[in-house]
Amino acid sequence: MLTDTPGLHHVTGIVGDGQAAIDFYAGVLGLDISALTVNFEDVLQHHLYFGDERGSPGTVFTCFPDPHADPGRIGTPQVASVAFAVPDGSLEYWQGRLESYGVAVKGPSERFDERALEFRDPSGTRLELVATSDGDGRKAIASTDESSRLEATIPRATAIRELHGVSLLSVNPYATAGTLETLGFDAIGEEGDRVRYRASGSRATVVDVLARDAPFGREGPGTIHHVAVRVPDEEQLHEWRELFADRDHDVSRVKDRHLFHSLYVREPGGILFELATETDGVAVEDSPSEPSLYLPEWFEPDRDLIESQLPELTGAQPEPNGTDSSER
């Protein structure tokens, strides 16, 4: 029997320069580099995973660097923005930190009794930090272990806790809402052109559907490729696939992503969802501050070829220099 998803598993975007992404997400935002691997559909492209120290589902943001692609354009049907949860009272700290790196910050603004900062990553991806009491007691992603590269720079009391949620620009908000309800999200409120849906879990539970006019988007650096939700096991993936196929949705086969199993479904509103199995985490790095290329066993025979075709990436090396992040 199918069970409702407890919330988001991860969110995956497209960025330009991979090193700039590491400097920003690991260096500025303080996320751990959970895995530095390759796109399983294109082994000559990196796939970067950022999250907590285990890469726990619900904390993870991943990205495909594509330095030669034309910039993307945010529009329909796409994930418009990604939000991370930070503790109440920490937004002033984060505004100062982001601005010290030359990142333009908007806010804080209020919606659904929450306060949020809005900003962009170096490729133009729309990001938010949402202050919420839900995450106050949870472990900070920036740990205070002696080995933590962030011990002296991001106080534990202000560090990012997890994903908060995503906002969606759909070509058919009613159809997208129906898909969310099928997955187990409930409508809990409406403010202006934003309808909020929440899953029943304890982390990464928010999806906002934006009922607004927007131009069609163009995939590329600065846009989100897909949003993934959690399911308990591979058996349920096959049941979900049958359900979506019966409804004539564009649904993939179940895929072995090595770190988890998943399937993809393009719902009638145009949003690409991934359903991914719950695991203890996707982290594979022994030394997150100096990541090395991780390959599943079926790619290992081609490691020399793969590494020779990929740009070299190092650990985070951010420097507060007053330069706008999009220019670094």
Side-chain angles (χ1 to χ4, degrees):
M1 180 179 295
L2 289 173
T3 57
D4 291 345
T5 180
L8 305 188
H9 187 281
H10 66 271
V11 180
T12 295
I14 303 172
V15 299
D17 182 72
Q19 187 61 54
I22 290 175
D23 291 348
F24 187 80
Y25 286 98
V28 179
L29 295 188
L31 306 180
D32 273 327
I33 304 172
S34 302
L36 192 165
T37 184
V38 292
N39 181 347
F40 290 175
E41 307 296 336
D42 179 2
V43 296
L44 301 185
Q45 181 184 51
H46 277 117
H47 192 178
L48 311 179
Y49 286 72
F50 303 94
D52 68 5
E53 62 184 12
R54 295 196 310 272
S56 304
T59 73
V60 176
F61 178 83
T62 91
C63 58
F64 302 122
D66 194 349
H68 305 298
D70 292 332
R73 181 179 62 242
I74 298 171
T76 58
Q78 288 181 351
V79 177
S81 62
V82 182
F84 296 92
V86 296
D88 270 341
S90 66
L91 291 186
E92 183 177 4
Y93 166 83
W94 278 106
Q95 184 161 6
R97 179 173 176 83
L98 290 167
E99 289 176 348
S100 77
Y101 286 90
V103 179
V105 180
K106 181 181 178 181
S109 58
E110 292 193 17
R111 59 175 180 259
F112 298 106
D113 297 322
E114 295 172 336
R115 300 173 73 239
L117 296 177
E118 302 173 34
F119 56 101
R120 298 195 183 212
D121 76 0
S123 295
T125 311
R126 292 177 181 168
L127 304 174
E128 298 173 342
L129 294 177
V130 178
T132 170
S133 59
D134 292 346
D136 287 357
R138 298 195 188 121
K139 187 173 182 180
I141 286 182
S143 72
T144 55
D145 296 338
E146 290 183 2
S147 61
S148 174
R149 69 198 183 285
L150 296 165
E151 182 179 5
T153 58
I154 299 183
R156 182 184 180 90
T158 62
I160 291 172
R161 265 39 181 179
E162 61 204 13
L163 292 170
H164 178 264
V166 294
S167 297
L168 307 181
L169 282 169
S170 169
V171 296
N172 186 337
Y174 295 103
T176 299
T179 300
L180 289 171
E181 290 168 354
T182 296
L183 290 169
F185 289 82
D186 293 321
I188 63 166
E190 182 174 354
E191 283 192 9
D193 60 5
R194 183 182 295 266
V195 181
R196 173 151 294 187
Y197 291 81
R198 189 184 294 276
S200 60
S202 61
R203 66 184 187 278
T205 59
V206 170
V207 175
D208 288 349
V209 177
L210 307 176
R212 65 178 62 159
D213 292 331
F216 282 103
R218 181 181 63 236
E219 189 172 278
T223 65
I224 299 299
H225 187 267
H226 65 268
V227 55
V229 300
R230 307 196 299 274
V231 298
D233 51 45
E234 188 179 354
E235 180 180 354
Q236 287 219 8
L237 283 179
H238 290 281
E239 292 185 46
W240 279 109
R241 188 190 186 284
E242 184 176 346
L243 182 148
F244 287 126
D246 287 345
R247 297 184 180 184
D248 293 324
H249 289 12
D250 181 8
V251 60
S252 75
R253 61 180 174 82
V254 174
K255 301 188 178 188
D256 181 359
R257 292 314 195 191
H258 187 65
L259 304 173
F260 50 85
H261 285 74
S262 72
L263 64 81
Y264 299 84
V265 58
R266 181 81 66 178
E267 52 86 28
I271 304 297
L272 182 60
F273 284 97
E274 183 179 10
L275 282 66
T277 52
E278 191 93 59
T279 67
D280 290 336
V282 301
V284 297
E285 288 293 342
D286 293 329
S287 177
S289 61
E290 290 298 332
S292 58
L293 182 66
Y294 178 82
L295 295 175
E297 60 272 14
W298 57 84
F299 289 146
E300 274 295 344
D302 297 319
R303 174 177 285 275
D304 289 344
L305 172 63
I306 292 170
E307 289 186 329
S308 72
Q309 299 299 308
L310 290 171
E312 183 179 355
L313 298 177
T314 68
Q317 301 176 24
E319 294 183 3
N321 56 15
T323 301
D324 185 84
S325 63
S326 65
E327 299 175 355
R328 290 207 308 268

